[in-house]
Amino acid sequence: MNRPFACFALAAAFAAAGAHAQENPLARHSLDYPSNIAPGAWNGADLEKRTNCAAGQNDGTRGTYAEYDVSFDRTRSLLGIDEIGITGLRCTYTGNYFIENDRPGWNGTYTCTDGKTGNFQSKDILATPNALSIRLAIKLTGSETCDIDAILGGSRF
């Protein structure tokens, strides 16, 4: 049997039997949406593309292995990520989680143990039970003033 036809036939059979469709992952979500960004550890990489740095040698692309410890305060819609890099550097991202135009968003502040500080705004958030990808626009506000296009990506069981 032709596979597309078999899938269509199976879907029609379920519909005729009154079976309910799976939840649409693109449907509108409430502020409870980050249930897939549940508290706990994620392991992956922090990728950065830095531009407009005060010190030109800091411009460029970088990446490092990291563990992300995620926390979410549903009552106040606050999402926090404590990043522990393989080098020992720790960075904390804390901010407001929200839904805008039917898409998840997150903005807040960024601080690291090496003295870097800044503000961030999410550009894209993808979360499944086993994969996490958050793209951030970061503007450093300390002595170094880079613009950073960052991707925090991780996986877990």
Side-chain angles (χ1 to χ4, degrees):
M1 183 184 285
N2 182 319
R3 286 185 190 263
F5 178 75
C7 291
F8 177 75
L10 186 59
F14 277 119
H20 295 285
Q22 189 173 355
E23 181 183 341
N24 179 355
L26 300 177
R28 182 178 302 213
H29 299 285
S30 70
L31 286 177
D32 275 351
Y33 171 73
S35 59
N36 289 333
I37 311 176
W42 296 82
N43 291 283
D46 177 346
L47 304 177
E48 296 183 352
K49 185 185 325 178
R50 298 177 185 180
T51 57
N52 303 316
C53 295
Q57 71 270 17
N58 291 331
D59 285 334
T61 304
R62 293 165 174 69
T64 189
Y65 171 83
E67 177 177 300
Y68 304 101
D69 291 323
V70 175
S71 62
F72 187 68
D73 179 337
R74 292 183 191 286
T75 305
R76 298 184 308 163
S77 298
L78 295 175
L79 178 63
I81 295 180
D82 185 25
E83 175 186 340
I84 303 109
I86 196 167
T87 62
L89 178 67
R90 295 182 76 123
C91 296
T92 301
Y93 305 79
T94 306
N96 297 310
Y97 181 85
F98 54 90
I99 301 295
E100 184 173 83
N101 298 323
D102 296 329
R103 298 183 56 94
W106 183 41
N107 60 27
T109 59
Y110 162 84
T111 60
C112 294
T113 55
D114 66 356
K116 283 188 302 207
T117 61
N119 300 306
F120 68 85
Q121 172 69 45
S122 64
K123 295 168 77 176
D124 192 29
I125 298 175
L126 171 69
T128 72
N130 302 104
L132 176 64
S133 176
I134 302 175
R135 190 158 188 183
L136 299 174
I138 301 171
K139 177 63 176 175
L140 296 183
T141 56
S143 59
E144 182 54 274
T145 57
C146 303
D147 295 318
I148 302 174
D149 183 6
I151 301 172
L152 309 181
S155 301
R156 71 173 177 191
F157 284 106

